Amino acid sequence: LVTVGEATYTLQSKASEIQSATSGYHFQDYIFEIPEGCNRIYLNKINNKEIVLKKVTGFKVKAEDIDLSIVNPLEGKTLCFAGDSITAASKPGVKGYVQIMAENNPSAHFYNYAVDGWTIGMRSDNNHTIQNKLPVILSEHPESDYIIIQGGANDVWQSQYIPMGEMTSGFNSGNFDRYTFAGGLEWMFNYIMENFPGKKIGFICTHQIRNLTAFKTYMDLAKNICKKWAVPYVNLFEEGQLNLS
């Protein structure tokens, strides 16, 4: 059995006939069964090249050329996370998403810099901003391949100290008001791009939180900032199917 995500593919040896295009590929001596709705599979090596095979009846490949190991894009990579309690998952007995990812990807290296209650924007009366974690990540893990940012709910709760702010029209770091949610997020994206050139950046839009009515406005702004900076984001606010108190 070969498992990819929630789908399990069955490798049958000594198949006697070529299967139909909807049921599998014929690899001379093997049939790779494909579940309904699956349009393609990834094979790691065929003649030392990664390829994608589309469903074609009677597509033949020599069995000895096939390595059915799955390509994991996180293999050997270093991932650093910065955020608030959603990412920190510091409550006793709670297993957060960073820990779950680490358990499912033992060859990768995961480092969680999230802290409960921290904000994206800065406050003048404390230093509890996620912005301050980026220089730490740079110092401790300059080899990072992925830097993932999450946050925003605490900015809404502390909006009397941290205004939402506005997205700037350009990319001049001198124009980012780091004491606002918008300016802080833009500053972080700019910092990562300057100090981790060529590495991957991601942002997580936090899930919905009951009674935090302004949160949607913040997450809509965050999505627009991500689009401006060409940073991919996971939209848990609209697609996470969570609405927590």
Side-chain angles (χ1 to χ4, degrees), residues 201-235:
I201 312 170
F203 181 76
I204 298 174
C205 294
T206 306
H207 56 72
Q208 294 186 32
I209 299 175
R210 294 192 187 105
N211 302 322
L212 202 61
T213 55
F215 199 24
K216 182 181 187 306
T217 306
Y218 278 69
M219 291 298 96
D220 286 344
L221 177 58
K223 288 186 293 181
N224 288 331
I225 293 173
C226 287
K227 292 173 184 176
K228 170 187 172 179
W229 289 87
V231 171
Y233 59 87
V234 176
N235 189 3

Side-chain angles (χ1 to χ4, degrees), residues 5-227:
E6 297 181 353
T8 299
Y9 308 119
T10 304
L11 184 67
Q12 297 181 344
S13 62
K14 302 301 179 184
S16 59
E17 61 181 356
I18 296 175
Q19 300 294 298
S20 69
T22 58
S23 63
Y25 303 101
H26 184 243
F27 293 167
Q28 187 172 330
D29 290 331
Y30 297 92
I31 296 293
F32 204 68
E33 295 291 344
I34 309 300
E36 283 296 323
C38 180
N39 296 320
R40 63 193 66 180
I41 61 170
Y42 290 83
L43 299 182
N44 191 16
K45 294 179 182 178
I46 292 186
N47 296 329
N48 294 319
K49 293 183 179 179
E50 181 184 336
I51 66 168
V52 179
L53 294 179
K54 294 182 179 179
K55 290 185 177 180
V56 179
T57 304
F59 190 99
K60 296 184 178 181
V61 180
K62 290 183 179 179
E64 59 266 24
D65 290 335
I66 299 175
D67 177 357
L68 290 175
S69 58
I70 304 303
V71 178
N72 183 355
L74 299 183
E75 183 80 24
K77 301 297 185 181
T78 296
L79 299 88
C80 290
F81 296 78
D84 55 31
S85 60
I86 301 298
T87 297
S90 59
K91 194 173 183 179
V94 172
K95 181 183 291 188
Y97 70 88
V98 177
Q99 182 181 348
I100 293 171
M101 290 178 65
E103 291 174 355
N104 289 326
N105 297 274
S107 69
H109 311 284
F110 290 79
Y111 301 96
N112 193 345
Y113 288 86
V115 182
D116 294 1
W118 280 33
T119 58
I120 286 179
M122 297 176 68
R123 284 181 56 164
S124 59
D125 59 341
N126 68 44
N127 62 354
H128 299 167
T129 172
I130 299 165
Q131 297 177 45
N132 289 338
K133 288 299 181 180
L134 296 185
V136 180
I137 292 173
L138 178 63
S139 173
E140 296 181 357
H141 296 288
E143 78 284 4
S144 298
D145 298 291
Y146 294 81
I147 299 92
I148 310 300
I149 306 297
Q150 174 273 326
N154 293 307
D155 293 77
V156 182
W157 279 314
Q158 301 177 45
S159 59
Q160 70 271 34
Y161 305 104
I162 306 171
M164 184 172 69
E166 298 179 350
M167 180 175 68
T168 63
S169 58
F171 296 89
N172 185 342
S173 60
N175 294 331
F176 306 145
D177 184 351
R178 297 173 62 184
Y179 288 86
T180 68
F181 169 80
L185 188 57
E186 289 208 76
W187 181 88
M188 286 195 285
F189 289 165
N190 181 75
Y191 183 92
I192 296 170
M193 290 180 181
E194 287 188 347
N195 292 280
F196 297 88
K199 303 304 183 179
K200 297 184 182 299
I201 312 170
F203 181 76
I204 298 174
C205 294
T206 306
H207 56 72
Q208 294 186 32
I209 299 175
R210 294 192 187 105
N211 302 322
L212 202 61
T213 55
F215 199 24
K216 182 181 187 306
T217 306
Y218 278 69
M219 291 298 96
D220 286 344
L221 177 58
K223 288 186 293 181
N224 288 331
I225 293 173
C226 287
K227 292 173 184 176

